[in-house]
Amino acid sequence: MDLKNLLAVVAAGALATGCAATAAETETASASASSASKSSAKAAFPSTYKSYSYDNTVITGVTIFDGEGQRFDNGVLFMSAGKIVSVGGPETVVPTDSTIIDGTGKYVTPGIIDVHSHLGDYPTPSVAAHSDGNEATSPVTPEVWAEHSVWPQDPGFSRALTNGGITSLQILPGSANLFGGRAVTLKNVPARTVQAMKFPGAPYGMKMACGENPKRVYGNRNRKPATRMGSISLTRQTWINAQEYKKKRKGAKPPKRDIGMETLVGVLDGDILVHNHCYRADELNQIIDMSKEFGYKVTAFHHAVESYKIADILAKEEICSAIWADWWGFKMEAYDAIPENAALLQQAGACVIIHSDDENQIQRLNQEASKALADGRAMGIEITDAQAIQWITYNPAKAMGISDQTGSLKPGKMADVVLWNDNPLSVYARPEKVWIDGALLYDANDPSRRPVSDFELGQPGEGDVK
Amino acid sequence: MKHFATILVSSLALMAAPAAAETIAITGGKVVVGDGSAPMDGATVVLRDNRVVAVGTNVTVPANARRIDASGKWVTPGVFAGFSRVGLVEVGAVRATNDANASDSVFSAALDVQYAVNPFAAAVAVNRAAGVTRAVVSPSTGKSIFGGYGAIVDLGADNNPITKARAFQFVELGETGHRRAGGSRTAAHILFRALLEEARTYSRNPALLDSDMLKTSDAKALLPVISGKTRLLVHANSANDILKVLGLRKDFPSLKLVLVGANEGWRVASDIAAAKVPVLASALSDLPYSFEDLSATQSNIGRMKQAGVQVAIGMINDRDAHQLRYSMQYAGNLVALNKVPRATGLSWDEAFAAISSGPAEIMGMGGQLGSLKAGRQGDVVIWTGDPLELSTQVETVFIDGVEQSLSNRQERLRERYRNPAPGALPKAYDR
């Protein structure tokens, strides 16, 4: 962050000092607030992300979906020093010495957030040399971290930004393993290193999996788990081991450091969020009971195509379902998927997240949310456009533990913003401009504001619209 | 379907007659012909005996017609999926239900999807309910570069899905071809040429066939490809692979080539146009998924179209057994490109044609399928609004002039769990 501009904003009284903290300061503050900061692993591979330069920008006359279910027609958004300063209707007072963008006929949303991506760890080109998403050598690998597999030159990051308006995303290990390892949350900003993409202060996630994938991968090798009961037994035993490790660590003779156990204890302590790949309703319920047995919380079930069958239970347990709009039929546990899954969950008061798990659909999460919305309305469930936008902004931010910093257009939050050339729930809409921490990182009208990864430099189609 | 069959050559399978056809007049809707022309407001579509008999704003409604008021609605030809595996796969990962390829078969070009396409597959009903009425169904390849015969099918709720059997032969000549042929493009091209030469040898003297190289059945299957009687759908993506495919015509001048995928087609669009080879292109590929896709862009179709290539949408290897319903969304995205500086999209009218008359014409069936013109098969969809828009729902589907059931197991599951908590009896009794 540019100090001069920061001071200008603070002097204008537009921002509380805490909100205007630099990226580095934010990270320190957040880490020290967390009990996990005591763990030496927490400090490893720290974020070096710094926001890029920004203009103080006002967008006027625009339709705003704020990410938390509110809509402003003929709205005004003011961002300064990389933060949202004000958002509201036409009465909103804004400074005159800013870059003014006429948003008439256009739409503003928070930056889109994907809670489930493999960009970087399963990048394109999708060659074996790049296949770094599954440490499929053991079903229990809480010790691996997705960030150590992420290739920052994956061209998919740029497509997610320019076509999808993605500003933050969680990169997960794959689902071959019961414990897949740590996930990492990134700002969708091109960088030379993964550390320079890491979302400052974001908690870690941990990937878990149930169902067909682990039993297929290991059962085919005649190893445990070859069955669903084998999967649950191995998962429970691992939690018992983690509980013992936790207990010993507090004792007089702490055990030798075990980075897998550190991750599991992080979950038991509530510092690391569980993202559990699981499809079938009956299995979701098994996982819920297992989490209660060991005293941890599942933050989100991913790919939960059968969530609609237990929407009431998921609402009561306050577990998000991170789901596709309409994928189905590709494997047995996806056979009962229905396009009204999201709407039925919303109706039951459960948390809905539309995710991609895909380098193509991450470019169209807005369209996926729109389809899920339309299918809900068609069966008579009333959902507003603004609520559907929440499925791809605030709700994923919450499940990633970053909703205090981003995911909605609230004063003091990061200025992660998309200006769309049409209603983002329309198939005809595309991002026109994307800001991350107030920095304009994509502008459809300016070819120099289109990132091109090293891989694509000097190749046919370099810098093309894609 | 009976009328249709009588006027066409015998390669068209005679369909089981669906429920008795009736005379239907769909009135007052915004009618899209599907041939790239602008929609007509307040137009009427008349269906009789499985066919479209009249379309326009000055159409007299027959006295005996069942009238359907489509005021405020859109009326279009059914969506024609330009490349799919619908009906070949029930559950992708359940091998016994997946007939898309035959990786352990000794046969290749002779394999024929008409014996596998299942009209009762869940995906047929699901995509029918979404407005898809016809599809190109192609095999995937197994051991060879040739996958076998594909078909044109309808998605009707009746016993016979085949509109045209043996509509084309499918071959891989990109990276997949390289793999199938033994590990290089040289191997793929020499295999292609050698197999076709061997088939020619067989046609001159069956006794001379080298059966280690080519089974008799496969040789027979390749003959109509060599003569140009049967289309050859060639999957190739890179600019260089596409040029090499076009070059096959030097040795085999009669090949009736159709390119499939063609992610880098825009870079050699003038060559494709000059060769008059049509393209069933992946609409939204824009990543270097592989080195054959380095310059992939969503502007591919628009740029090829501008260069004079005959092009339509075909979603090869893109959830092509289950999600034909993405066709409308993909076409809509091509329209969206018109507002993106430096991108090249399609006009709305062109985009709809790319999922209706476009594939029909490329497959040589434009006179029978894909548009709302007198004499065409009665595949009609009534939509609540713009069919390319995400908020739009399907109201009514006709295939061969017969109104279709839109029920499917997704809809049944939805209704069972409209309220997820069990009632007086378990959910299993909710039907």
Side-chain angles (χ1 to χ4, degrees):
Chain A
M1 181 174 292
D2 179 306
L3 186 62
K4 187 178 59 149
N5 284 314
L6 171 64
L7 290 174
V9 171
V10 174
L15 284 171
T17 313
C19 297
T22 65
E25 286 163 357
T26 307
E27 186 203 10
T28 312
S30 173
S32 63
S34 157
S35 61
S37 63
K38 285 171 284 194
S39 153
S40 48
K42 184 78 178 181
F45 309 93
S47 169
T48 59
Y49 169 76
K50 296 276 193 303
S51 57
Y52 285 81
S53 65
Y54 54 82
D55 289 327
N56 295 337
T57 304
V58 176
I59 307 172
T60 60
V62 76
T63 305
I64 298 173
F65 296 122
D66 78 344
E68 293 190 45
Q70 235 188 316
R71 172 190 178 124
F72 300 96
D73 291 310
N74 193 17
V76 173
L77 175 86
F78 173 42
M79 47 187 160
S80 177
K83 302 289 178 187
I84 305 294
V85 179
S86 47
V87 57
E91 71 287 352
T92 307
V93 178
V94 294
T96 49
D97 59 343
S98 301
T99 304
I100 310 279
I101 295 171
D102 178 8
T104 306
K106 298 174 185 174
Y107 288 70
V108 158
T109 67
I112 307 303
I113 300 177
D114 191 357
V115 75
H116 194 120
S117 171
H118 296 291
L119 291 180
D121 67 8
Y122 281 119
T124 53
S126 173
V127 295
H130 278 166
S131 174
D132 288 318
N134 272 309
E135 183 54 45
T137 52
S138 160
V140 180
T141 61
E143 68 274 16
V144 304
W145 294 19
E147 65 198 79
H148 300 138
S149 279
V150 169
W151 181 46
Q153 299 297 340
D154 182 352
F157 287 116
S158 69
R159 307 296 193 276
L161 176 76
T162 62
N163 292 337
I166 300 285
T167 57
S168 299
L169 67 174
Q170 177 168 247
I171 312 300
L172 296 149
S175 53
N177 298 346
L178 302 170
F179 294 85
R182 279 197 201 196
V184 63
T185 293
L186 303 177
K187 284 249 159 184
N188 192 16
V189 172
R192 294 176 299 167
T193 66
V194 176
Q195 287 86 338
M197 300 175 78
K198 281 179 79 171
F199 194 107
Y204 277 102
M206 184 179 72
K207 175 72 174 286
M208 294 182 70
C210 85
E212 288 183 27
N213 288 7
K215 66 171 236 160
R216 184 186 69 246
V217 170
Y218 295 99
N220 284 344
R221 301 176 198 170
N222 207 22
R223 283 187 60 183
K224 194 174 180 181
T227 60
R228 285 179 162 88
M229 59 187 173
S231 288
I232 294 285
S233 73
L234 190 47
T235 308
R236 290 175 75 205
Q237 190 59 53
T238 304
W239 284 123
I240 290 166
N241 297 346
Q243 285 178 328
E244 274 176 26
Y245 181 86
K246 182 181 169 180
K247 203 168 145 191
K248 278 189 199 159
R249 208 166 64 165
K250 286 180 181 159
K253 287 172 72 180
K256 185 176 162 222
R257 256 191 88 187
D258 179 319
I259 55 174
M261 285 296 158
E262 284 176 356
T263 294
L264 296 174
V265 170
V267 171
L268 294 175
D269 287 345
D271 299 320
I272 294 178
L273 309 174
V274 171
H275 294 275
N276 208 132
H277 158 122
C278 207
Y279 284 68
R280 259 174 30 191
D282 55 315
E283 291 191 271
L284 302 178
N285 207 56
Q286 303 277 22
I287 301 289
I288 291 170
D289 271 3
M290 181 166 60
S291 72
K292 288 179 178 171
E293 181 184 5
F294 296 103
Y296 69 92
K297 162 103 179 126
V298 176
T299 295
F301 284 121
H302 290 228
H303 316 338
V305 300
E306 288 193 10
S307 279
Y308 68 94
K309 295 185 182 178
I310 54 164
D312 50 341
I313 296 173
L314 293 167
K316 184 171 143 276
E317 299 291 337
E318 298 184 332
I319 299 174
C320 292
S321 295
I323 53 179
W324 300 287
D326 57 13
W327 288 22
W328 72 289
F330 46 96
K331 56 176 164 171
M332 203 57 224
E333 62 192 1
Y335 196 47
D336 282 6
I338 64 170
E340 295 85 357
N341 195 18
L344 285 165
L345 286 162
Q346 179 88 17
Q347 176 183 250
C351 162
V352 177
I353 298 168
I354 302 293
H355 71 1
S356 81
D357 188 27
D358 183 81
E359 65 278 10
N360 292 305
Q361 288 195 357
I362 194 174
Q363 302 177 45
R364 295 184 275 286
L365 275 187
N366 56 312
Q367 295 180 22
E368 299 308 302
S370 180
K371 287 190 289 183
L373 169 67
D375 286 317
R377 284 177 176 163
M379 72 175 288
I381 298 174
E382 285 179 23
I383 303 167
T384 64
D385 286 0
Q387 284 173 320
I389 293 295
Q390 186 172 334
W391 297 343
I392 53 174
T393 54
Y394 185 77
N395 288 0
K398 202 167 160 236
M400 288 151 69
I402 54 174
S403 57
D404 288 344
Q405 295 113 296
T406 189
S408 62
L409 302 174
K410 296 288 185 190
K413 283 196 177 185
M414 295 166 165
D416 297 342
V417 177
V418 184
L419 175 66
W420 302 83
N421 65 9
D422 201 335
N423 185 336
L425 297 173
S426 164
V427 75
Y428 304 122
R430 288 294 171 107
E432 185 174 305
K433 291 182 168 64
V434 183
W435 292 267
I436 298 182
D437 285 302
L440 182 62
L441 293 182
Y442 172 62
D443 184 348
N445 298 305
D446 179 359
S448 73
R449 291 282 165 151
R450 175 183 288 277
V452 176
S453 86
D454 290 356
F455 177 76
E456 296 194 286
L457 203 62
Q459 301 273 24
E462 167 195 337
D464 198 358
V465 281
K466 303 299 180 188
Chain B
M1 205 64 212
K2 282 176 187 159
H3 282 70
F4 185 22
T6 54
I7 58 163
L8 291 168
V9 290
S10 59
S11 65
L12 288 182
L14 187 73
M15 290 188 57
E22 52 184 336
T23 301
I24 293 151
I26 304 164
T27 60
K30 186 193 256 288
V31 172
V32 176
V33 173
D35 60 354
S37 59
M40 296 181 281
D41 285 315
T44 296
V45 176
V46 180
L47 305 177
R48 190 173 60 222
D49 296 340
N50 312 122
R51 299 220 208 168
V52 177
V53 292
V55 178
T57 48
N58 283 319
V59 169
T60 308
V61 174
N64 63 340
R66 171 160 74 101
R67 279 173 175 264
I68 298 175
D69 179 10
S71 304
K73 312 283 167 62
W74 290 53
V75 181
T76 74
V79 169
F80 194 134
F83 192 93
S84 85
R85 270 89 189 213
V86 73
L88 296 180
V89 183
E90 186 65 31
V91 179
V94 177
R95 195 67 190 88
T97 74
N98 188 331
D99 291 309
N101 74 47
S103 51
D104 294 328
S105 172
V106 295
F107 297 104
S108 58
L111 298 167
D112 188 340
V113 299
Q114 71 169 309
Y115 305 113
V117 173
N118 176 12
F120 312 117
V124 170
V126 164
N127 287 288
R128 178 201 309 137
V132 181
T133 59
R134 302 271 165 176
V136 171
V137 178
S138 173
S140 305
T141 53
K143 279 183 183 144
S144 169
I145 55 173
F146 285 100
Y149 281 118
I152 309 299
V153 308
D154 70 61
L155 278 72
D158 57 61
N159 293 355
N160 190 345
I162 305 296
T163 307
K164 183 177 183 179
R166 301 190 173 190
F168 61 93
Q169 176 68 227
F170 179 70
V171 67
E172 289 279 1
L173 284 176
E175 285 189 7
T176 305
H178 149 118
R179 198 160 61 245
R180 298 278 186 266
S184 88
R185 285 172 171 79
T186 59
H189 273 260
I190 191 65
L191 183 62
F192 182 89
R193 284 155 206 270
L195 293 178
L196 263 58
E197 291 295 353
E198 196 61 29
R200 268 182 183 159
T201 302
Y202 168 82
S203 70
R204 286 193 289 266
N205 182 353
L208 294 178
L209 181 73
D210 176 356
S211 60
D212 285 344
M213 203 171 128
L214 195 61
K215 301 278 174 209
T216 306
S217 305
D218 293 327
K220 284 182 184 165
L222 289 176
L223 289 174
V225 173
I226 298 169
S227 69
K229 186 165 169 263
T230 296
R231 282 174 172 70
L232 181 63
L233 268 57
V234 188
H235 183 210
N237 280 317
S238 82
N240 187 45
D241 287 338
I242 290 168
L243 292 173
K244 296 300 176 286
V245 168
L246 300 180
L248 293 172
R249 283 247 187 87
K250 274 185 201 149
D251 294 330
F252 304 97
S254 300
L255 290 180
K256 204 179 256 182
L257 297 169
V258 176
L259 283 164
V260 178
N263 283 336
E264 292 197 324
W266 66 274
R267 296 186 57 220
V268 291
S270 56
D271 298 84
I272 302 171
K276 294 191 163 49
V277 171
V279 182
L280 294 166
S282 305
L284 300 183
S285 298
D286 64 359
L287 281 163
Y289 191 77
S290 171
F291 278 83
E292 65 184 355
D293 314 305
L294 283 179
S295 69
T297 166
Q298 295 181 24
S299 293
N300 188 36
I301 286 180
R303 289 175 185 168
M304 286 196 284
K305 177 102 183 161
Q306 284 202 347
V309 176
Q310 183 185 6
V311 58
I313 293 174
M315 47 195 290
I316 185 167
N317 299 344
D318 181 8
R319 303 180 177 85
D320 55 12
H322 290 96
Q323 302 285 45
L324 285 62
R325 57 188 178 182
Y326 283 5
S327 302
M328 296 76 82
Q329 184 186 358
Y330 283 16
N333 270 273
L334 297 186
V335 178
L337 291 179
N338 292 321
K339 287 191 293 185
V340 178
R342 299 193 303 140
T344 309
L346 296 179
S347 70
W348 193 97
D349 302 333
E350 290 169 338
F352 196 86
I355 55 170
S356 53
S357 67
E361 278 164 16
I362 287 173
M363 297 312 295
M365 303 193 75
Q368 297 92 49
L369 301 170
S371 55
L372 294 184
K373 290 181 180 172
R376 303 288 194 269
Q377 288 305 110
D379 296 355
V380 185
V381 179
I382 305 175
W383 315 75
T384 57
D386 172 356
L388 305 187
E389 187 54 280
L390 304 165
S391 55
T392 299
Q393 301 294 316
V394 167
E395 291 211 329
T396 312
V397 175
F398 295 90
I399 296 177
D400 291 323
V402 178
E403 185 168 349
Q404 300 290 312
S405 163
L406 301 185
S407 183
N408 58 75
R409 64 183 302 278
Q410 295 195 340
E411 174 238 342
R412 301 298 306 278
L413 283 161
R414 173 190 86 200
E415 290 308 316
R416 172 171 279 185
Y417 287 97
R418 188 177 268 276
N419 175 3
L425 281 172
K427 279 288 168 192
Y429 299 84
D430 266 1
R431 296 174 59 223

